[in-house]
Each structure stands twice: as structure tokens, then as C-alpha cells.
Amino acid sequence: MHPGRRKRTLMTDQSVTKRTPTMTEASPRRRRKEARPAEVLEAALETFARKGFSATRMDDVAARAGIAKGTIYLYYPSKEALFEAVVREYLVENIARAEAALAHPAPTHAERLRRAVGIMGQVILDPRRAALPKLVLADGGMFPEIARFYRREVVGRGLGLLAGIVRAGIAAGEFRPVDPEAAVRLFVSPILITALWQITFSPVEEHSMPPETLLALHADLFLRGLCVSPPEGDR
Amino acid sequence: MHPGRRKRTLMTDQSVTKRTPTMTEASPRRRRKEARPAEVLEAALETFARKGFSATRMDDVAARAGIAKGTIYLYYPSKEALFEAVVREYLVENIARAEAALAHPAPTHAERLRRAVGIMGQVILDPRRAALPKLVLADGGMFPEIARFYRREVVGRGLGLLAGIVRAGIAAGEFRPVDPEAAVRLFVSPILITALWQITFSPVEEHSMPPETLLALHADLFLRGLCVSPPEGDR
Amino acid sequence: MHPGRRKRTLMTDQSVTKRTPTMTEASPRRRRKEARPAEVLEAALETFARKGFSATRMDDVAARAGIAKGTIYLYYPSKEALFEAVVREYLVENIARAEAALAHPAPTHAERLRRAVGIMGQVILDPRRAALPKLVLADGGMFPEIARFYRREVVGRGLGLLAGIVRAGIAAGEFRPVDPEAAVRLFVSPILITALWQITFSPVEEHSMPPETLLALHADLFLRGLCVSPPEGDR
Amino acid sequence: MHPGRRKRTLMTDQSVTKRTPTMTEASPRRRRKEARPAEVLEAALETFARKGFSATRMDDVAARAGIAKGTIYLYYPSKEALFEAVVREYLVENIARAEAALAHPAPTHAERLRRAVGIMGQVILDPRRAALPKLVLADGGMFPEIARFYRREVVGRGLGLLAGIVRAGIAAGEFRPVDPEAAVRLFVSPILITALWQITFSPVEEHSMPPETLLALHADLFLRGLCVSPPEGDR
DNA sequence: GATGAATGAGTATTCATTCAT
DNA sequence: GATGAATGAATACTCATTCAT
């Protein structure tokens, strides 16, 4: 973007997230210093989410984090690096949560999908986390590395996980024989759209539909469409 | 000193598309002049779509349109005005196409929805048109007027149209008694996601799933979930 | 998008001259920082005086001040604000000097006026100070606020002061009964014209009349015209 | 000012004022064409007077003259040339009027000066004409040629004329033996200041002193100061 | 480490000037 | 001759980045 800025790859830079969680953090001053990068990251997430990459000023991030502008550069060598750190940090967190949630066992495969809706909804309806897909969408074009990373680590792994459930359901005769890859894309679409919708329109919308209603209907409709025989207690 | 920037509302400014109704336009220069605003708009759409509002430079737009930078300002008084004109122009076009398509009659309400998928897919899979939702999502936060406009004129009207079909289908006993407002949101989600997906990941993806496959499965699954009795010839 | 330019009134902004009351300022950098606004102001005065508002480039001001362009904006939010600060700063200084000088007592009212010529001549013949009336003249049309301020604070107060002397002289039977308001306008005219003349023609004039000669004759002629009985030792 | 603009001397360019006043101008169309340069000049005078050179846009001049922007360039090759033509045209006119007026005979030299005040007041209180000294003061710094021209042709000739009267008055024993060069400078100062005052403060002043009052007092005071024995009928 | 004043390359916008019609 | 669309150099202002304190 800006000429003469060093362009590091997304994955190789680990120097920043130097967290020592195992150590019993003692003095408040020490604690503060240790927490700095995370505080900056959070301030950056909120600012990037609201304005996008280009329109975010380092001043804004610093002000929101309650530190001086120059201090950011102690932890992140450039605005781009900060952006990438934000995306990576919160993305990885999102993935971990979703994976953990999806791993829970359930009586039927339909039930597992139904729970997946709940879990993903919970994760993504937190405005802090919903910001991620939006950022990837908005600025991914200028950060191919981020788009690639998101595609591989978030979308790829998430869809893979879900596709495994669908595949198992088909094998068990519970689901109709559809293309699992395609089915899971359809499955996550309303969840994503709901998150993006919230972010985009909540400032300009007086009365919006509660996401829970939407996602409940989604689970019903989708499973009814997918299952060989409709689930019993269907409303 | 500095002449006040006109800050026009999104809807009221029609001054730019001053096309003369006479058909037999003669000189090439005249022809050029008439076509300018549209050429600028197209160049701007492509650049805004690729970079977002902030990262787009007027130089880029001018270069892409093959004109001098100052020429843009002959037709649009500011970068913001240009952005709004782009969104308005192509949004309105999108709406008109979609509405026309949805108006087509069909034997069953399910069939109307199925056709709607096809139509909307066609519209939105054109990268030029898919850029619009992306722009609204990416930069709507900084242009509340545009978000509002999009919410009202595109989302509102589109969902209203579809909700009418769903409502009719329910009344006819063809669809199950679901919340039509919620159902249509679910209905359009995969279509939107497919469009956004294309834009976001096609530059970084080697082998992607064909959108047609996805949308066909969507129609099947969704209608099977919605209809009282599954359509017969369902695969 | 673009943060709104603050358009402040001429009088209310005191934010720039934030001088710390502590006397023992230490580091050279600190000293530099404190002196910056005044340095910028002086460079701006010279440049505005030479070129007028419109033709002055911020680059020129910066270069003359020996700083980077952006640094100006650390202290003054816009070219207009800088201009107004210049006028206000030096105008106020002029007024203060002139008032102090006029307050001096003298044996006769004629003598007070004669001293006023000397004082005002001293003040206004400094090219740095003479620039102010010229700026008000040249750019006051585009800065009505400045014209108003100058009219009120400089012309109004100055003329009021002088009119008081004339009125006292008339009451004392020393001066003929003329309109004091009109008389003082005539009184200051040659002083102002002399200042403007210096500025305008000194670059293109080989041999000019020394202002002191002019002002001495002015005092003689004017007082002889004004006094009931001509002053004694008149040449 | 602007690099790469041709800089012609002030006097040598006569190509523009191609007026044929002796010809009986016939058709309205022909008349229009003939009058063009003068109309442009008048529009330019008003705009320059109001805004100064730099802040005047060719668009404004064209709009005020009721012609297209490009048309100005048919008569004047650049903005600078236009400015110079304006100053020259109206300056020369001013001089001619003043000289004619001053040539009138009168019983005493004091009376000739008194009439000169009236004449010059008439000339200079017309806002159109008062603009000239203002332009020279405001923009003369950037147009040394104009300053020089004004100094030589207006100030020089005007002061010379008046100095002649003063010199004659002294020789005749009517005036006291003062430096004529200095005296006439003092003589014209209030007249100039009055004109400049009108231009500068009339937009921001609610109730101003009538110039006639001022100039009448000026003539009285000045002549009383200058004459050996005060004029009789002095108020 | 932390600060924030200073920098200067970058960008939106203006406007004198040109020239095809 | 007249026009006004087009040009592009000029300029106010921004903001990521640096570095002396």
C-alpha cells in the first residue's frame, strides 16, 4: 500500500505475542506492561472494525488504548503489522472456540449441527468477534495474505469440521446424500450474514429481528431440508 | 475562502445524469461528453470495489477511466459524492433487475422462489454487481446514509417482495407456517455469501466450488425445508 | 470523513499560546517547543505581508520558519487560523504600544498630539508592524471578521484615545471647535499613508523622502491648522 | 508567481486595447464585439477589487462579464495580463480626470487646492476608482512593474502637479515656505485614506462618517496650516 | 520503556490555460 | 469568434513513522 513499508508474511512474525501466561504475574506495573500488547490489540480491533484499515489512524488506536502514539510502535512495527496481528489474534481465538464447541458429542448428527448453530451464533454475535469476517471482507483485497490465512485456517478448518458431521450423517442414513462441501457452505451462510447484518445495519435500524429467532428457524429449516425423515418434535 | 462543499442527501441529486433525450447524437466529442459520467462511474465502481473507499485514490479512478484527475470533478464534486453516486447508480440498477425478475409468474410458489434464486444468482455473481453489497458492508459504517439507503431500498424492498411470495405460499397451504420475514432472510443469505465469497477469495483460491452447484443445492434444501410436502421430482 | 475544520471566531481562541509559567526552562528541545508558535507567527507575518493571504504558500511559511510544513499544523489548524493569529497577535501588540505611548502626559494638548505623531510613527514605520494595516486592507474583504476586529480594536480605540485629547484641547480653548471624530481621522491619515507608502514603493523607488521629515511637517501643519493661536516656536 | 507564465512588461503590450472610437459603430452585434474587452475589463476590475489578484478566479470574471471563460483569453493572454490591463486602463483614466480637474484656474492658490480636494474626492470616492489604489497596495508587491508604473505615472505626476501649485503659492507669499514635495504628500493622505477606509470598512460598519464632511474639514485645516494668513471666511 | 513533537511523502481538490467543436 | 470540456500543475492538509528527551 504505502511504498517503502516492510511487508512481512502473516505467519512468520511471532515476535509480538510474547505472552507468558504460565507465570504468576506479580506487581501491577509488571502486569500493566505485560498486558500492553493485548490492550493495544483490543483498541485496534475496535477501531479497525469501525473504520476499516485505511481510515483508521494510529492516533485513534493510541487514544482508545490510553497510550501515546509512539508506544504502539514498541510492539508492532507498522500499521500493517498491527492489522495483521489483530486479525490473527482474534481469528485464532474464534477458531479455537468453535472447534472446541463442535467437538461436543450429541445423540444424532442433526443435533450436532443444531448445537453448532448455537455455538457459532454465540461466538459470532459478539460484536467484537463479528468484526473479523467484516474486516476480512473489507480489507482482504488489500491483504491477500490475510484472505489466504482466513480461507485456510478459519473457513477451511470450520467447513472441514462441519463437513465431517454431514458426511457421517449421510453415512448413517440420517441425512440425504448431498454434497457435504456445498451443504456446509449453505449451513454457515445465515450465521455469517446475521453477524454482518448486525454490524452494518444496527446503527441505522430502529427495530431489527432478534438473531436468536433467525438462527432457530435456520436450524429447523436446514435440518428439515437435509434429513431423510424430518425430525420428530419439529414445531 | 473555500467554497462550501455541497453535502447532498443520497436521493435528491439527479444533476449528474443529464442525458439529452434527442437520439441522433452527432459529433464524437459530444458522444464522449455524454458518456463521461457513466465511464467515470464504472471506473470508480471497480476501484472502490477493489480497494474500499479510503484506499481508493482519485488518481486511480481517473487513470482507469482514461481521463485526467480534474475531469472527475467536472461531474462529481468530491470523492464522497462519487462514492455515493456509484452506490446509488448500481444499486438502483440491481434492484430494478431483481424486481423485474421476481415478478415473473410461476405455477407454484416454490417455483417462484426457485426462479428467484436463479435470478438473484445471475445478478449477484457478476463481479461488478456483487461489489455493491461488499461496499455497503465495508464502508457503510462511514456512510450511514448509504447504509440506510441500502437497508431501505435494496434489502427492504427485496425482502418485502420475497416475503410476499412466502406469505402467499403459506396461505395456499404450500409452505409451512413460518415467520416470512425470518424465512426470506435465511433464503437470501447463501446467495449473498456466495457473492461475497467470490469477491473475497477468488484471488487467493486455486479451485473453488462453482456457484451454480451451490445455489442449486440451496434451492432444493431450502424448499424441502419450507414446503409442507416435499416437491416430487426432488433428486 | 474529513474532520470538520474548526472555524473559530477571532477573539476566543487562546489555545495556541500555551506558555508554561515556570521560569527555569531546561532542555534545548523544550525551549524549542515553547518558542515554536511565535517563530511560526513571525515567519507567517513576513510571508503574508509580502504576498497577501492567497498567494502565501504554507511551504513558504514553513521554509522561512525553518520547520517542516506539517509542524505548522501542530499549532494552527489551518491557513486561515494562522492568518488570523498573525493579525491578532501583532495587532494587539501594536495597540498596546500605541496606547501606552499616548498615555504620557504633556504640558499642552498640542504637545500630546505632537508626541502621538512621534510614537505612532515609530510604531508603524517598523516594516514588521506596518504590514498589519496593509494586510487588513488587502485581505480584509475576504476576512470580514478581521476587518471588524481591526475596526473595533485598533481604529476604534486609537481614534477614541486621540479624540479625547482633541476634545480636551477644545474644552481648554486650545483647539478650535472642530468635529473631534473627523479631526483625528485626518490626523492619522498621513501616518498610515506613510507606512503603506514605505511598504509599497520602497522596493521600486530609488530615492524616497525620509518619513521623519514628513511626519514632522505633518505635526506642524496639522497643529497650526487646529490650534486657536499658532504655537509659538513654529519654524 | 506561476512558473512558466510569460512575463511581459507592463508598458509594451498594446495589442489588447484595440479600440476604434472614431468609427461610428453600427450593428448591435458589431457593437457587442467592440465592447467586449471593455466589459471584460470592468468585470475584472470589480472582481480583483473585491478579492485581490490571487483569490480572483477567471471563472468569476467570465461569469460577471457574462461570457465564457475561454473568451477572456481572446483578449488577454493570461490572468496577469488581465490584471495589468485593468490597472493600466483605470489608472490612466484616473490620472486624466485628475489632471484635467487640477488645470482649472482659480483666484488663489488656496482655492486651487481646495478645488483639488473636491475633484480628487469625487474621483476616488467612486468605489470603482477607489479600487485602484487598493489593488496597487494589496498586490503591488507581486507586480513590481505595476508598483513602478503607479509610482511614476499616478503618484509622480499627481504630486508633481500639486507641488507646482504649492510652489507657486509660496512664491506668491500666499503659503508658508514649506517643502512642497512633503506638503503635497500630506495633502493627499486623507483623501486616499478616506477612499481606502470606505472600501475596507463599509461592509462591516453600520454608521460611518460621510466622506464629504471629512474632506471639507481637511481642506480647512490643511489650508489654515499652510497659508501665511488664515483664509477669511473660515468657519 | 514511554512520550509526543517533528517530519515529509501522500492525497483530495482547485483553477489557469488549452483546444476541438 | 465563442465556447466550455478537459487538462495537469499547484497547494492545503493528513498521518504513518521516527527519535530526542
Side-chain angles (χ1 to χ4, degrees):
Chain A
M1 171 148 337
H2 298 290
R5 305 271 161 70
R6 62 230 131 299
K7 176 77 183 187
R8 295 154 307 86
T9 72
L10 190 56
M11 299 305 301
T12 50
D13 179 39
Q14 301 294 349
S15 65
V16 163
T17 49
K18 43 176 175 176
R19 317 198 96 249
T20 54
T22 53
M23 195 190 302
T24 51
E25 299 171 4
S27 74
R29 194 178 173 190
R30 174 111 192 141
R31 165 178 285 278
R32 188 67 196 280
K33 267 201 283 196
E34 293 295 315
R36 268 294 151 70
E39 287 170 1
V40 173
L41 233 40
E42 185 170 338
L45 171 64
E46 280 167 21
T47 316
F48 282 135
R50 190 189 320 283
K51 311 251 197 181
F53 177 79
S54 288
T56 288
R57 285 176 296 139
M58 295 298 264
D59 275 312
D60 294 340
V61 175
R64 183 179 286 268
I67 59 176
K69 186 165 41 166
T71 308
I72 300 177
Y73 287 85
L74 294 177
Y75 302 105
Y76 306 96
S78 71
K79 191 182 174 186
E80 287 199 15
L82 177 61
F83 182 76
E84 292 177 352
V86 164
V87 176
R88 194 169 49 243
E89 169 84 0
Y90 288 91
L91 236 37
V92 167
E93 208 184 310
N94 275 3
I95 301 165
R97 280 171 177 264
E99 286 195 334
L102 289 177
H104 277 232
T108 64
H109 297 100
E111 188 55 25
R112 288 185 73 191
L113 286 185
R114 194 180 295 272
R115 286 186 185 176
V117 172
I119 296 295
M120 293 178 69
Q122 248 182 284
V123 168
I124 219 163
L125 257 29
D126 168 11
R128 184 96 91 267
R129 293 174 201 294
L132 267 297
K134 190 205 139 172
L135 278 182
V136 173
L137 203 61
D139 294 303
M142 311 193 63
F143 292 90
E145 203 50 47
I146 278 187
R148 210 183 318 275
F149 178 76
Y150 186 82
R151 176 65 185 85
R152 177 161 28 87
E153 296 299 321
V154 183
V155 175
R157 279 164 69 181
L159 291 187
L161 225 46
L162 291 167
I165 301 177
V166 170
R167 223 172 265 115
I170 294 172
E174 188 180 341
F175 297 157
R176 296 191 300 122
V178 299
D179 177 349
E181 291 291 330
V184 295
R185 273 172 168 80
L186 301 176
F187 179 72
V188 299
S189 291
I191 305 169
L192 278 168
I193 287 291
T194 301
L196 296 174
W197 181 287
Q198 296 289 101
I199 288 180
T200 305
F201 294 127
S202 58
V204 302
E205 214 172 27
E206 47 281 356
H207 58 297
S208 63
M209 169 165 299
E212 294 76 15
T213 308
L214 213 52
L215 295 184
L217 181 59
H218 171 50
D220 285 347
L221 240 47
F222 187 85
L223 287 176
R224 176 176 275 267
L226 182 63
C227 290
V228 169
S229 58
E232 288 187 12
D234 221 2
R235 58 153 159 167
Chain B
M1 174 86 354
H2 299 289
R5 299 280 140 64
R6 286 119 303 194
K7 178 74 185 190
R8 296 151 306 86
T9 71
L10 194 54
M11 299 301 305
T12 50
D13 179 41
Q14 304 294 348
S15 66
V16 164
T17 50
K18 44 171 176 178
R19 320 200 98 251
T20 48
T22 55
M23 270 294 129
T24 53
E25 296 172 6
S27 75
R29 203 183 185 203
R30 177 104 190 150
R31 169 177 303 278
R32 196 73 193 284
K33 192 183 82 167
E34 293 293 315
R36 267 297 145 73
E39 290 170 12
V40 173
L41 232 42
E42 184 169 340
L45 171 65
E46 279 167 21
T47 316
F48 282 135
R50 189 189 320 283
K51 311 251 198 182
F53 177 80
S54 288
T56 289
R57 284 175 295 134
M58 295 298 264
D59 275 318
D60 294 340
V61 176
R64 182 178 288 268
I67 59 178
K69 189 170 24 169
T71 306
I72 300 175
Y73 288 86
L74 253 34
Y75 302 102
Y76 305 96
S78 71
K79 191 182 173 185
E80 285 199 20
L82 176 61
F83 183 76
E84 291 179 353
V86 163
V87 176
R88 194 169 50 241
E89 169 85 0
Y90 288 92
L91 234 38
V92 168
E93 211 183 307
N94 275 3
I95 302 165
R97 279 171 176 264
E99 286 197 332
L102 289 176
H104 277 233
T108 65
H109 296 100
E111 188 55 25
R112 287 184 75 191
L113 286 184
R114 193 179 296 273
R115 287 186 186 176
V117 173
I119 295 297
M120 293 177 69
Q122 247 183 284
V123 168
I124 221 164
L125 257 30
D126 168 12
R128 183 97 89 266
R129 294 176 199 292
L132 267 297
K134 190 209 139 171
L135 278 182
V136 173
L137 286 172
D139 294 303
M142 312 193 62
F143 293 87
E145 202 50 46
I146 278 186
R148 210 183 319 273
F149 178 75
Y150 188 81
R151 177 65 185 83
R152 178 163 28 90
E153 297 299 321
V154 182
V155 175
R157 279 164 71 179
L159 291 186
L161 225 48
L162 291 168
I165 300 178
V166 170
R167 224 171 266 116
I170 294 173
E174 188 180 340
F175 297 157
R176 294 191 301 122
V178 298
D179 176 349
E181 291 291 329
V184 296
R185 273 172 167 80
L186 301 176
F187 178 71
V188 300
S189 292
I191 305 170
L192 275 169
I193 287 290
T194 302
L196 297 175
W197 181 289
Q198 297 290 104
I199 287 180
T200 307
F201 295 129
S202 58
V204 302
E205 213 171 28
E206 44 282 353
H207 59 294
S208 63
M209 170 168 297
E212 293 76 15
T213 308
L214 214 51
L215 295 184
L217 180 58
H218 172 49
D220 284 346
L221 240 45
F222 188 84
L223 286 176
R224 176 175 277 267
L226 182 64
C227 290
V228 170
S229 58
E232 289 187 11
D234 221 4
R235 58 153 162 169
Chain C
M1 175 85 353
H2 298 290
R5 301 280 141 63
R6 285 120 304 193
K7 177 76 185 186
R8 296 152 305 87
T9 72
L10 194 54
M11 297 303 304
T12 51
D13 178 41
Q14 303 294 349
S15 66
V16 164
T17 49
K18 43 170 178 180
R19 318 199 99 254
T20 51
T22 56
M23 270 294 129
T24 53
E25 296 171 6
S27 74
R29 201 183 187 202
R30 176 106 191 147
R31 170 177 302 279
R32 196 73 193 284
K33 192 182 84 168
E34 293 293 315
R36 268 296 144 72
E39 290 170 11
V40 174
L41 233 41
E42 183 170 340
L45 172 64
E46 280 167 20
T47 317
F48 282 135
R50 189 189 319 284
K51 311 252 199 183
F53 177 79
S54 289
T56 289
R57 283 175 297 132
M58 294 299 263
D59 276 317
D60 293 341
V61 176
R64 182 178 286 267
I67 58 177
K69 188 173 23 169
T71 306
I72 300 177
Y73 289 88
L74 253 35
Y75 301 102
Y76 305 96
S78 71
K79 190 182 174 185
E80 285 199 19
L82 176 62
F83 183 76
E84 291 178 352
V86 163
V87 176
R88 192 170 50 242
E89 170 84 2
Y90 289 92
L91 235 36
V92 167
E93 210 184 307
N94 276 3
I95 301 165
R97 280 172 175 262
E99 287 197 332
L102 289 177
H104 277 235
T108 64
H109 296 101
E111 188 56 25
R112 289 186 75 193
L113 286 185
R114 194 180 294 274
R115 286 186 188 176
V117 173
I119 296 297
M120 293 177 69
Q122 247 182 286
V123 168
I124 218 164
L125 257 29
D126 168 10
R128 182 96 90 268
R129 294 176 201 291
L132 267 297
K134 191 207 136 172
L135 278 182
V136 173
L137 204 63
D139 293 303
M142 312 194 62
F143 293 89
E145 204 49 48
I146 280 186
R148 210 182 321 274
F149 178 76
Y150 187 82
R151 176 66 183 82
R152 177 163 30 89
E153 297 299 320
V154 183
V155 175
R157 280 165 68 180
L159 291 187
L161 226 47
L162 291 167
I165 300 178
V166 170
R167 224 173 266 116
I170 294 172
E174 187 181 343
F175 297 156
R176 296 192 298 124
V178 299
D179 176 348
E181 291 291 329
V184 296
R185 274 171 168 79
L186 301 176
F187 179 71
V188 299
S189 292
I191 306 170
L192 277 168
I193 287 291
T194 302
L196 296 174
W197 181 288
Q198 295 290 101
I199 288 180
T200 307
F201 295 128
S202 59
V204 302
E205 213 172 26
E206 44 281 355
H207 59 296
S208 62
M209 170 166 297
E212 293 76 14
T213 308
L214 214 49
L215 294 184
L217 181 58
H218 172 51
D220 285 347
L221 241 45
F222 187 85
L223 287 175
R224 174 176 277 267
L226 183 63
C227 290
V228 170
S229 58
E232 289 186 12
D234 218 4
R235 62 150 160 168
Chain D
M1 169 149 331
H2 297 288
R5 303 271 161 69
R6 62 231 131 297
K7 177 76 183 186
R8 295 153 307 88
T9 73
L10 189 57
M11 298 305 300
T12 51
D13 178 39
Q14 302 294 349
S15 66
V16 164
T17 49
K18 43 177 175 177
R19 315 199 98 248
T20 55
T22 54
M23 195 190 301
T24 51
E25 298 172 5
S27 75
R29 193 178 173 188
R30 174 105 191 149
R31 164 176 284 278
R32 190 68 195 280
K33 269 201 283 195
E34 293 295 316
R36 269 292 153 70
E39 288 170 0
V40 173
L41 234 40
E42 185 171 338
L45 171 63
E46 281 168 20
T47 316
F48 282 134
R50 190 188 321 281
K51 312 252 199 182
F53 177 78
S54 287
T56 289
R57 287 175 295 138
M58 295 298 264
D59 274 311
D60 294 340
V61 176
R64 183 179 285 268
I67 59 176
K69 187 166 38 165
T71 307
I72 300 177
Y73 286 86
L74 294 176
Y75 301 105
Y76 306 97
S78 72
K79 191 183 173 185
E80 287 198 15
L82 176 61
F83 182 77
E84 292 177 350
V86 163
V87 176
R88 195 168 49 241
E89 170 83 2
Y90 287 91
L91 235 38
V92 168
E93 210 183 310
N94 276 2
I95 301 166
R97 280 172 176 263
E99 287 196 332
L102 289 177
H104 276 235
T108 63
H109 296 100
E111 188 55 28
R112 287 185 76 191
L113 286 184
R114 194 180 295 275
R115 286 187 186 176
V117 172
I119 296 296
M120 292 177 70
Q122 245 182 287
V123 168
I124 220 164
L125 256 30
D126 168 11
R128 185 96 91 266
R129 292 176 201 294
L132 266 297
K134 188 208 140 170
L135 279 182
V136 173
L137 285 173
D139 293 303
M142 313 193 62
F143 293 89
E145 204 48 48
I146 278 186
R148 208 183 320 272
F149 178 76
Y150 186 83
R151 177 65 186 82
R152 177 161 28 88
E153 297 299 321
V154 183
V155 176
R157 279 164 69 180
L159 291 186
L161 226 46
L162 291 167
I165 300 177
V166 171
R167 223 172 267 114
I170 295 172
E174 188 181 341
F175 297 156
R176 296 190 300 121
V178 299
D179 177 347
E181 290 292 328
V184 296
R185 274 172 167 79
L186 301 176
F187 179 71
V188 299
S189 291
I191 305 170
L192 275 169
I193 287 290
T194 302
L196 297 175
W197 181 289
Q198 296 290 102
I199 287 180
T200 305
F201 295 129
S202 58
V204 301
E205 213 172 26
E206 46 281 354
H207 59 295
S208 61
M209 169 166 298
E212 293 76 15
T213 307
L214 214 51
L215 294 184
L217 181 59
H218 172 51
D220 285 348
L221 241 46
F222 188 84
L223 287 176
R224 175 175 275 266
L226 183 64
C227 289
V228 170
S229 59
E232 290 185 13
D234 221 2
R235 60 154 164 166

